[in-house]
Amino acid sequence: MTEDPRRDELAGRLAAVDRRVADACAAAGRARADVHLIAVTKTFPADDVARLVSLGVADVAENRDQEAAAKVARSASLGVTGVRWHFVGQLQTNKARSVAAYADVVHSLDRVRLVAALERAAGEHGRVIDALVQVDLGDGRDRGRGGAAPSGVPEVAAALAECDHLRLAGVMAVAPLEGAPGPAFARLADVAAEIRGTYPDATVVSAGMSGDLEVAVAHGATHLRVGRALLGSRPALG
Ligand SMILES: *Cc1c(COP(=O)(O)O)cnc(C)c1O
């Protein structure tokens, strides 16, 4: 007898995604423990966060500040603890203060001004936040998705390395809308290696979503941001 069919659905989806990740790791000759799954819960309610956490998910991501702030609060009121909250959306400097209050990891640092704003905000909240430099793999074609050009990544990384309240943890990217993700993720791997050469602790490579996680694992992704495969399809504008 099922008391919560949605929990059962999420359990099935999580098991299927776990299998995909394990298979991709095996194919790439990588240890499964080196690849982390982040559940992207945007457009889905805090109840789903609670269900996923009860199923063993520890990392949850959102891409819009207003929705994220409300969901973090609601999750806490549902008794959810121990979640690492990731902010993966484009970030405006005027939202830094809000995001710094709840985000444990921000994936979308793509300019020095934004680094300065988030550093100040994290300091005001007395927090230390892991920060990733978002890399634009689309050569500027995917407007509105954010990201520093690969040539601009070292400048943003250097700014992060100077911070007291932000910790440079690595790089993040979304595959370009057009073209195969493989060459793009290969390029991201090059950028990641270059940054690691200067900052050995910056080991995170956040890449891969529902549709391309296998390709991302093949190219060294350490953190996969998976939404639809775990939670189901979103309304068109999600
Ligand atoms: C929505 C989103 C994802 C998840 O995408 P899915 O295709 O649902 O897996 C990953 N990264 C970012 C930045 C997103 O906004």
Side-chain angles (χ1 to χ4, degrees), residues 40 42 63 88-89 172 174 208-211 225-229 232 234 238:
V40 183
K42 63 190 185 197
N63 74 331
V88 300
M172 174 274 211
V174 181
M209 318 197 306
S210 294
R225 308 178 308 269
V226 179
R228 286 165 300 151
R234 292 182 293 271

Side-chain angles (χ1 to χ4, degrees), residues 205-228:
V205 180
S206 167
M209 318 197 306
S210 294
D212 56 21
L213 70 87
E214 285 85 358
V215 187
V217 169
H219 289 92
T222 63
H223 289 69
L224 309 171
R225 308 178 308 269
V226 179
R228 286 165 300 151

Side-chain angles (χ1 to χ4, degrees), residues 126-210:
R127 304 188 67 229
V128 176
I129 298 171
D130 277 359
L132 307 181
V133 182
Q134 184 178 347
V135 187
D136 171 20
L137 299 174
D139 295 315
R141 281 189 300 268
D142 297 337
R143 283 173 189 283
R145 298 177 101 195
S151 63
V153 171
E155 186 192 10
V156 182
L160 282 170
E162 296 280 297
C163 289
D164 293 322
H165 299 277
L166 304 180
R167 192 185 76 84
L168 172 62
V171 297
M172 174 274 211
V174 181
L177 289 170
E178 281 186 27
F185 288 151
R187 197 168 175 203
L188 179 65
D190 289 343
V191 174
E194 184 190 341
I195 293 301
R196 243 182 357 257
T198 312
Y199 312 101
D201 292 339
T203 54
V204 172
V205 180
S206 167
M209 318 197 306
S210 294

Side-chain angles (χ1 to χ4, degrees), residues 14-15 48 78 96 161 203 207 215 220 227 230:
L14 179 60
D48 280 349
L78 291 174
T203 54
V215 187
L230 277 178

